[in-house]
Amino acid sequence: MEAVSKKVILLGHFGVGKTSMIKRFVYHKFSKEYMTTIGVKIDKKVIKIGDTELSMIIWDIAGESTHTRIPQSYKLGSHGAIYVVDVMRPSTYENIDSEIKSLKKIMPALPIVKVANKTDLLVENEASELYKDLPLDQYIHCSAKTGEHVEKIFGLLAKQMLE
Amino acid sequence: MENNQLNTLKDILLDEERFSRNELGERVDVLDEQLNNTDELRKKLKPILVDQVTYLRKNFPNLFGEVMVDSIKTQIRDSQDEMVDALYPIMGKMIKKYIAREMKLLSERIDKQLKKTFSWSGWMTRFRGWFGGVSEGDMVLRNLIKAEIEEIFVVQQNSGLLLGSYSIHNTLDKEMIAGMLTAIKSFVNDAFVFGKQELETIEYENYELIIKNLESFYIVVVASGVVDEAFKNDLDDVLLDFSEVVLKKYHREKDFNQMQMTSLIKEYSEKLNGSS
């Protein structure tokens, strides 16, 4: 089995649930307490994709209102990115297109998965109404709290990185 | 009869042309011989070529200087990373050799000065050294705690991916350590913008992390004990040799993997711990 390591970065505004997503994915845990990330935290998870054993070195970067405020050196050398927004806070995805565009300027070939987190906070009817009004169709919806789609998101990025 | 008269007339009229044609034919044969016979052609062309070569040699800077300079400039600009990687071990060794020679001279001067200085402890040390058959400098060094390599990490720049490692203990996940070290380096680079500078050491009580930066990767050596200049000097030598070997493999051998890198690091670490 071939062993490969890849650097993954999580981007998005503060409080969108980047750390919670990683905690859910790596440790299968969720905590209601909010503790803001300072600087960077590194985590690792090994997954199997076909005949490849992939070590995902996950960089949990402190949230900023725009990724341009994040030191560029944290992003350099990344093999994949997950851009997380909060379904309940439109301000976290209002400028998503320009954010992705400026990210692509630095790393044109970077696979990026767009994720709308905290779907557990929406009542079913509310959710369908919200999705109609907001440009959330391009996102994969997930909940770090319930674990819904978290594995799927990291798996999808893993496949894209190995392509 | 008529035919004879006609032939005589032809001879009279065309005699000169026939002679010219024959002469022309002979010259064509000579030229043909000269052109198709390599030796003959070489004889003819040699003086011309020698002249041209002499002319080019004399006027080369004027004729091609500008083009050559532009071409070299472009080449250097487009392959800066490769140049830095290739030059680092060579330049490093040259600079180190020079500094080591200067340090030796300085040390000799200090030794001379010390010999002149009269002090009881100095005499005691000297007496011990004389009886033990070792130099005074060595005697002092022997009193110090030897430095030892605890861990070595070779990490890819920017991505922070671990290329190989060596450790005498069971430590935390090495890939995560490599990532975090890269994050710390990135933080320092971004927080303290003093031009293009790099984090070179981190001190942690009895441990010192010595970082050697190269273009494509960096090496972190975790050492315990007294990390003095002599130790750092030995370390520099070994790391420069190591970098040279690794760079060649890293850039040329596609299947050069983490395991191979790790066994290479182990080999060099043992060399270092053996020499310290």
Side-chain angles (χ1 to χ4, degrees):
Chain A
M1 184 169 276
E2 192 193 7
V4 179
S5 295
K6 298 279 180 192
K7 173 181 173 179
V8 175
I9 50 169
L10 266 83
L11 299 168
H13 288 210
F14 64 89
V16 293
K18 298 184 289 296
T19 307
S20 297
M21 274 186 68
I22 295 168
K23 212 169 177 182
R24 169 62 70 188
F25 177 58
V26 179
Y27 306 103
H28 308 285
K29 281 180 187 169
F30 177 79
S31 164
K32 278 183 184 175
E33 279 175 47
Y34 174 64
M35 287 175 79
T36 186
T37 308
I38 297 165
V40 182
K41 189 177 171 291
I42 314 283
D43 270 300
K44 175 188 163 183
K45 175 135 179 176
V46 181
I47 59 168
K48 279 178 190 168
I49 303 276
D51 285 327
T52 309
E53 195 177 75
L54 175 68
S55 284
M56 297 177 96
I57 310 297
I58 307 163
W59 287 48
D60 179 11
I61 302 171
E64 287 285 355
S65 53
T66 164
H67 87 86
T68 50
R69 285 169 61 95
I70 294 167
Q72 190 152 311
S73 50
Y74 288 167
K75 291 174 267 180
L76 290 176
S78 303
H79 300 100
I82 296 175
Y83 200 103
V84 188
V85 302
D86 180 345
V87 281
M88 303 299 285
R89 284 160 56 206
S91 64
T92 63
Y93 52 84
E94 272 167 0
N95 301 317
I96 186 81
D97 289 338
S98 61
E99 288 284 301
I100 300 283
K101 208 174 166 184
S102 67
L103 194 60
K104 285 277 185 184
K105 256 187 199 172
I106 318 165
M107 293 172 288
L110 185 77
I112 304 167
V113 175
K114 289 186 273 183
V115 173
N117 188 27
K118 303 193 187 179
T119 51
D120 56 280
L121 296 177
L122 298 169
V123 182
E124 231 175 75
N125 295 339
E126 247 182 31
S128 53
E129 283 303 308
L130 192 73
Y131 296 160
K132 269 184 210 168
D133 298 334
L134 297 172
L136 289 169
D137 53 330
Q138 51 184 323
Y139 295 84
I140 299 175
H141 304 144
C142 83
S143 165
K145 188 178 179 182
T146 63
E148 186 197 11
H149 291 161
V150 173
E151 293 267 350
K152 180 183 157 185
I153 287 159
F154 281 94
L156 179 72
L157 184 69
K159 279 179 192 159
Q160 287 183 15
M161 287 191 298
L162 291 176
E163 270 170 13
Chain B
M1 184 70 183
E2 269 182 19
N3 265 350
N4 282 340
Q5 282 173 340
L6 193 64
N7 282 338
T8 311
L9 188 66
K10 267 185 193 171
D11 286 344
I12 293 162
L13 289 172
L14 299 173
D15 186 43
E16 205 174 329
E17 278 71 19
R18 272 184 193 144
F19 177 77
S20 301
R21 197 193 63 191
N22 289 340
E23 201 178 32
L24 199 65
E26 280 167 15
R27 292 195 68 180
V28 167
D29 285 344
V30 171
L31 281 173
D32 184 51
E33 171 70 11
Q34 283 175 348
L35 283 174
N36 292 320
N37 185 316
T38 318
D39 290 338
E40 286 295 319
L41 191 66
R42 195 175 286 138
K43 267 182 210 166
K44 287 277 172 195
L45 287 175
K46 197 178 173 183
I48 303 164
L49 287 174
V50 168
D51 282 353
Q52 280 299 313
V53 169
T54 315
Y55 173 78
L56 277 175
R57 216 176 262 166
K58 274 184 186 167
N59 298 293
F60 194 84
N62 294 332
L63 291 169
F64 302 107
E66 212 172 318
V67 183
M68 291 285 287
V69 168
D70 284 348
S71 164
I72 291 167
K73 271 184 187 169
T74 314
Q75 199 68 27
I76 291 171
R77 193 183 57 231
D78 294 347
S79 7
Q80 276 182 4
D81 290 355
E82 288 87 342
M83 292 231 3
V84 172
D85 273 349
L87 287 176
Y88 178 84
I90 302 160
M91 294 291 289
K93 274 182 185 170
M94 278 169 63
I95 295 165
K96 262 186 59 58
K97 202 174 170 185
Y98 175 76
I99 294 172
R101 202 193 67 191
E102 290 299 308
M103 289 302 288
K104 198 178 168 189
L105 289 172
L106 178 70
S107 165
E108 280 170 5
R109 281 200 293 273
I110 293 169
D111 275 353
K112 271 184 193 170
Q113 192 62 41
L114 275 171
K115 276 177 193 167
K116 288 177 191 169
T117 312
F118 182 82
S119 76
W120 178 246
S121 63
W123 279 111
M124 284 299 286
T125 313
R126 250 165 259 156
F127 276 127
R128 279 203 300 272
W130 290 339
F131 286 116
V134 286
S135 77
E136 189 184 332
D138 285 351
M139 286 289 291
V140 175
L141 280 174
R142 278 185 185 184
N143 292 332
L144 298 172
I145 305 159
K146 277 183 187 175
E148 196 177 357
I149 307 288
E150 304 279 333
E151 283 174 89
I152 295 183
F153 300 91
V154 179
V155 186
Q156 196 173 50
Q157 291 280 17
N158 297 326
S159 72
L161 296 182
L162 185 72
L163 298 175
S165 65
Y166 161 81
S167 177
I168 55 172
H169 310 289
N170 280 326
T171 48
L172 290 168
D173 189 298
K174 294 180 182 73
E175 285 192 298
M176 280 168 68
I177 294 175
M180 209 58 223
L181 283 168
T182 310
I184 292 167
K185 260 168 60 66
S186 300
F187 165 74
V188 175
N189 284 355
D190 284 300
F192 308 104
V193 188
F194 303 128
K196 194 170 165 48
Q197 296 191 48
E198 290 282 0
L199 182 67
E200 288 184 338
T201 48
I202 300 171
E203 284 187 24
Y204 179 65
E205 284 214 18
N206 296 330
Y207 296 91
E208 190 165 333
L209 279 72
I210 303 152
I211 303 166
K212 292 283 160 206
N213 288 287
L214 282 95
E215 196 61 25
S216 359
F217 59 82
Y218 67 92
I219 306 162
V220 181
V221 176
V222 183
S224 61
V226 177
V227 180
D228 56 6
E229 284 311 308
F231 174 79
K232 282 186 180 172
N233 203 33
D234 288 344
L235 182 67
D236 265 353
D237 279 339
V238 176
L239 288 186
L240 282 168
D241 278 341
F242 172 77
S243 309
E244 210 172 359
V245 174
V246 168
L247 277 170
K248 276 182 197 159
K249 288 182 180 287
Y250 185 70
H251 286 304
R252 288 179 198 165
E253 293 173 24
K254 278 185 181 173
D255 56 347
F256 184 57
N257 57 31
Q258 206 184 83
M259 268 176 69
Q260 288 168 301
M261 175 77 94
T262 297
S263 71
L264 199 65
I265 298 168
K266 197 179 168 204
E267 188 186 312
Y268 276 85
S269 312
E270 283 165 359
K271 204 183 276 184
L272 268 166
N273 274 341
S275 70
S276 67

